[in-house]
Amino acid sequence: MVDELEGISVFLAVAEARNFRLAGERLGVTRSAVSQALQRLEDRLGAPLIQRTTRSVSLTEAGEVFLEAVRPSMRQVRDAMQAVRDMQARPSGLLRIAVSSIAERFLSGTLLAGFMRTCPGIKIDITITDDEFDIVEAGFDAGVRLGEVIEQDMIAIPVSDPQRQCAAASPAYLQRNAPPRHPRDLQNHACIGWRPRPDTAPYRWEFTENGRDFDVAVDPVLTTNDMGMMIRMACAGAGITFGMVETFAPYIDCGELVPLLEDFCPPFPGFYLYYPRRQRQPVKLRALIDYVRKSGRS
């Protein structure tokens, strides 16, 4: 088997460089060694692969066929060898992640703190953003976002349980105003809305009734891009707000907020760590992927 494979990397180097000297420099061997290895390969195959003149190096018809057949396989072999080397390497470097502002479990710190203890050589740079953009083009290694808005060509693994939204208001507000019984009743209430940027319309609150999804375009008395502000205003009795139950849970548990319209808010797939589909992921990203998967199993 060793004899059969001998010379293939030399042939690829010559085929790509179209020059024996340059191929030798790339491989770290002499021009003579390149010529001898190639000659032995041609002898074993029983056909010339390279046509040499004093001025040029070109592939024969057999060489073209051989090149198309072996180049993908050799690339896979090199990737496999690098993957094994990477397994022995200590994960290090800067990991840049774009995270949705409402990804509570990921941002709570527990998951990230555990990962940082496991991989102390990795530094993490997190950008909190609700903008939708190409993370690869923007220079991020990965992102965390709701599964329903992740591009189909990305790989995604869950970092949260299924999520659910609901409306919420303070007991004081509900003492002054009858609670809405149907989402359409929100038109008669003071609402606290959200939008990602000043140049976008407020988020339309999403509900489900009898298996049919619909949304309500509320007319907020206050709009912000900060969930913390929405919660503080709702707790202060300024109106009804809308968001993830997981985000509201601490305030609901202590009685500062009361969940509303829960019958119209079924669960849906939650947040995912997503990253581009590559044949070989960077070691630092692979370390995070493996840790998230292990944490999910735990």
Side-chain angles (χ1 to χ4, degrees):
M1 179 60 72
V2 174
D3 291 340
E4 290 294 320
L5 295 178
E6 182 191 9
I8 293 179
S9 60
V10 173
F11 164 72
L12 288 174
V14 173
E16 291 170 359
R18 302 300 169 105
N19 185 289
F20 276 57
R21 180 181 58 80
L22 293 178
E25 290 177 356
R26 181 182 301 178
L27 296 170
V29 298
T30 65
R31 177 174 177 171
S32 175
V34 169
S35 181
Q36 292 173 19
L38 188 58
Q39 184 63 57
R40 289 194 295 271
L41 177 62
E42 290 176 326
D43 291 344
R44 291 199 305 276
L45 293 175
L49 302 175
I50 301 292
Q51 187 164 334
R52 288 152 279 193
T53 69
T54 56
R55 295 185 177 181
S56 65
V57 173
S58 60
L59 298 182
T60 64
E61 182 179 0
E64 294 283 2
V65 171
F66 193 63
L67 176 64
E68 291 303 311
V70 302
R71 182 155 49 187
S73 299
M74 287 301 291
R75 186 179 299 119
Q76 291 179 350
V77 169
R78 291 187 184 116
D79 288 344
M81 293 176 68
Q82 186 60 48
V84 172
R85 294 189 193 103
D86 289 346
M87 289 175 64
Q88 310 306 316
R90 179 184 179 188
S92 61
L94 180 65
L95 196 59
R96 299 189 66 223
I97 310 173
V99 182
S100 170
S101 66
I102 53 174
E104 289 295 315
R105 180 169 181 265
F106 195 83
L107 292 176
S108 65
T110 304
L111 180 67
L112 287 175
F115 172 68
M116 293 170 70
R117 286 192 297 270
T118 302
C119 300
I122 294 179
K123 294 182 179 180
I124 302 176
D125 184 322
I126 292 181
T127 296
I128 310 301
T129 176
D130 294 303
D131 291 342
E132 295 182 17
F133 57 88
D134 185 337
I135 59 171
V136 176
E137 183 178 342
F140 289 94
D141 297 290
V144 176
R145 169 188 305 183
L146 286 173
E148 62 191 30
V149 295
I150 295 175
E151 297 87 345
Q152 292 298 311
D153 61 346
M154 293 285 176
I155 300 176
I157 56 176
V159 292
S160 78
D161 296 328
Q163 298 291 296
R164 192 166 62 82
Q165 297 192 106
C166 75
S170 70
Y173 178 85
L174 296 175
Q175 286 179 358
R176 301 192 307 270
N177 303 273
R181 298 187 178 279
H182 190 278
R184 60 173 169 264
D185 297 338
L186 292 168
Q187 304 289 350
N188 302 318
H189 282 269
C191 293
I192 302 166
W194 175 85
R195 61 180 174 186
R197 300 185 309 275
D199 59 346
T200 58
Y203 167 70
R204 298 169 70 96
W205 296 9
E206 298 175 277
F207 300 96
T208 300
E209 183 176 26
N210 298 323
R212 181 180 64 87
D213 297 332
F214 66 99
D215 56 56
V216 175
V218 298
D219 183 19
V221 295
L222 184 148
T223 307
T224 177
N225 67 337
D226 181 66
M227 178 58 67
M229 171 64 75
M230 293 168 64
I231 292 174
R232 288 191 296 273
M233 294 302 295
C235 290
I240 299 174
T241 194
F242 190 79
M244 295 291 180
V245 171
E246 187 177 47
T247 304
F248 293 152
Y251 305 91
I252 293 173
D253 292 344
C254 70
E256 290 187 76
L257 289 177
V258 177
L260 305 169
L261 302 173
E262 292 187 283
D263 291 343
F264 300 92
C265 301
F268 56 88
F271 292 92
Y272 289 77
L273 173 73
Y274 69 101
Y275 49 93
R277 192 180 300 275
R278 298 190 186 102
Q279 191 166 21
R280 185 168 56 86
Q281 298 292 348
V283 180
K284 59 185 179 181
L285 178 57
R286 173 53 57 190
L288 177 62
I289 294 167
D290 291 344
Y291 185 84
V292 167
R293 284 179 169 153
K294 181 180 178 180
S295 298
R297 290 194 299 269
S298 299

